[in-house]
Amino acid sequence: MNDPQAPPDALDSFAALLTDEGRALLEEVHGTAPADELAVATRLRRTHPPALVSAALAQARLRQRAEAKFGAEDARRMFFTPHGVEQSTRASVAAYRAARMKELGVTCLADLCCGIGGDAIALARQGIRVLAVDRDPVTAAAARANARALGLDELIEVREADVKDVDVSAYDAVFADPARRGRGGRIFDPEAYSPPLSWAVATARTVPHAAVKIAPGIPHEAVPAQAEAEWISDGGDVKEAVLWFGTEPATVRATLLPGPRTLRGRGLPDPAVRLVGRYLYEPDGAVVRAHLVAEVAEELDGGLIDPTIAYVTADELRPTPYATAYEITDHLPFHVKRLKALLREREVGTLTVKKRGSAVEPEELRRKVLPRPHGRAAVTVFLTRVAGAPAMLLGHPVP
């Protein structure tokens, strides 16, 4: 992940945080609530340079945001950029990928577009020596500071450079994380990544093993034939997709964290469409992105409710880590007034709205059918299509 180029004075502001005064200030502002920032800043500017106080408070905010990805203990010691917090790999995902590298026998790796060093940290914790490269001076400085803060600087060398100028021939493996955001937001064309996907793939093929991080929504036809494609979710949320080289070409996998639990593609045809049964299964997002719904349907002895909708239905309950099961109580044509009356009749106070293949916005529907929640019952409603027709499926999660 190449960070956008930071303004020239940003490096000076960051360097000031690494001084004894800066580190002491970071400790003092740790945990400052947003409502208290103005008062804290006013007080500290009496004894510290205003620019340093502002930088410390900004860094404290970034550390608070980073706790969700890195955990409180690491986040408190690490250094971040705004882009780095947003785009860095979640620690659990980075740890899983680093473990795969270790299993492949990797001992030294070039981390290209390393960002603030999240992946380099996970790799070093597996005992892998890492060359971490980023072209932005502030980002490279943050990665270097993070390696030192976590006691991993003997395993992580950070280099400020354009990744295209780096010779990776001496390394067992490459990990590349091209930037997938520009000034206009997310970039969907892989050749518009920075650097382009074609460059990352060509570089990956020069070493024994490699992983290239890509957007989860990449078209399957854009996956190179020589690559293994893996979609990864954490806690049910799809986090990323990775192209692996030097593993199993043309293999498709969906990996769910924590676990890990991995579902491998077997090239099955699309499942048959059948009537809605007693149970509805919602496949994990990584399974859907990897186009492995057929593998889940076969495991459940189920079928689809519609040829274009990734919901699996079955008459029997079978446990699976790759989908969440719901027991269906009602199958109705979509009708707002009928749904509202039904919820009132059953004294529903908690309504969860899920949708696939419906243009209705869940929050808007919830306001219409449950304007003043007061009942004790809880219901999940699926807005979807059944055999091409708009439908509502009501039920509840299976414990």
Side-chain angles (χ1 to χ4, degrees):
M1 174 197 65
N2 268 340
D3 251 333
Q5 293 287 339
D9 60 344
L11 185 58
D12 291 337
S13 296
F14 183 82
L17 292 175
L18 303 180
T19 64
D20 290 342
E21 182 182 13
R23 291 179 183 277
L25 203 53
L26 283 171
E27 284 300 313
E28 190 166 351
V29 300
H30 171 72
T32 300
D36 297 331
E37 280 193 5
L38 180 58
V40 170
T42 301
R43 174 175 57 82
L44 292 174
R45 283 169 180 163
R46 298 182 188 128
T47 53
H48 299 280
L52 180 58
V53 173
S54 296
L57 285 168
Q59 189 63 220
R61 287 194 299 270
L62 293 175
R63 286 177 168 182
Q64 290 172 0
R65 287 173 52 194
E67 287 183 6
K69 284 188 174 183
F70 292 90
E73 184 178 351
D74 279 355
R76 181 170 181 173
R77 294 187 288 166
M78 292 174 66
F79 294 85
F80 300 95
T81 66
H83 188 79
V85 170
E86 182 180 353
Q87 295 298 305
S88 57
T89 304
R90 181 177 290 266
S92 56
V93 178
Y96 161 74
R97 184 166 47 240
R100 275 203 74 181
M101 286 290 188
K102 183 70 172 180
E103 290 172 2
L104 291 170
V106 172
T107 60
C108 58
L109 175 146
D111 179 359
L112 307 179
C113 311
C114 69
I116 53 91
D119 284 281
I121 289 165
L123 289 158
R125 283 174 168 167
Q126 288 287 339
I128 298 172
R129 301 189 66 84
V130 182
L131 170 67
V133 183
D134 202 283
R135 67 183 180 185
D136 176 61
V138 177
T139 304
R144 191 174 294 112
N146 289 336
R148 188 177 305 115
L150 298 179
L152 298 168
D153 46 323
E154 291 189 0
L155 286 170
I156 300 174
E157 174 194 347
V158 178
R159 186 181 302 174
E160 179 192 329
D162 189 318
V163 295
K164 293 182 180 178
D165 297 332
V166 176
D167 181 4
V168 300
S169 60
Y171 295 89
D172 298 339
V174 160
F175 172 64
D177 184 5
R180 295 173 299 282
R181 283 182 179 271
R183 295 185 182 277
R186 291 184 179 179
I187 297 171
F188 297 99
D189 178 7
E191 285 308 293
Y193 291 176
S194 179
L197 180 60
S198 58
W199 176 88
V201 169
T203 302
R205 297 184 67 186
T206 66
V207 292
H209 300 288
V212 178
K213 186 174 172 181
I214 55 176
I218 189 172
H220 278 232
E221 55 269 24
V223 174
Q226 67 272 26
E228 170 198 324
E230 180 179 34
W231 279 260
I232 304 172
S233 68
D234 188 12
D237 296 327
V238 180
K239 295 302 178 184
E240 63 181 57
V242 183
L243 301 180
W244 289 89
F245 297 84
T247 54
E248 301 175 78
T251 298
V252 176
R253 297 156 57 113
T255 296
L256 282 55
L257 302 176
R261 296 179 180 273
T262 296
L263 180 67
R264 298 165 61 94
R266 300 194 299 279
L268 300 179
D270 292 340
V273 176
R274 51 152 293 175
L275 296 176
V276 176
R278 182 176 177 182
Y279 297 99
L280 186 75
Y281 292 86
E282 181 182 26
D284 183 272
V287 171
V288 176
R289 293 280 195 172
H291 296 181
L292 299 181
V293 174
E295 279 73 6
V296 171
E298 182 182 71
E299 180 181 315
L300 299 171
D301 192 23
L304 300 180
I305 62 172
D306 183 276
T308 63
I309 304 296
Y311 284 137
V312 176
T313 187
D315 295 318
E316 296 181 3
L317 179 63
R318 296 186 181 182
T320 174
Y322 304 113
T324 302
Y326 295 81
E327 186 171 8
I328 299 302
T329 57
D330 300 87
H331 171 196
L332 306 166
F334 178 73
H335 197 283
V336 174
K337 289 185 178 179
R338 187 172 182 184
L339 177 61
K340 184 176 182 179
L342 189 60
L343 297 178
R344 184 170 58 247
E345 175 187 327
R346 297 183 182 177
E347 298 182 342
V348 171
T350 302
L351 179 65
T352 301
V353 182
K354 293 177 171 287
K355 72 166 192 172
R356 278 184 183 165
S358 172
V360 178
E361 290 299 326
E363 286 302 321
E364 180 181 348
L365 178 70
R366 189 181 288 106
R367 286 194 298 268
K368 288 181 178 179
V369 301
L370 207 64
R372 292 180 296 277
H374 61 274
R376 295 185 177 181
V379 166
T380 299
V381 59
F382 293 87
L383 306 179
T384 186
R385 292 194 304 273
V386 174
M392 306 182 298
L393 303 178
L394 278 66
H396 54 80
V398 176

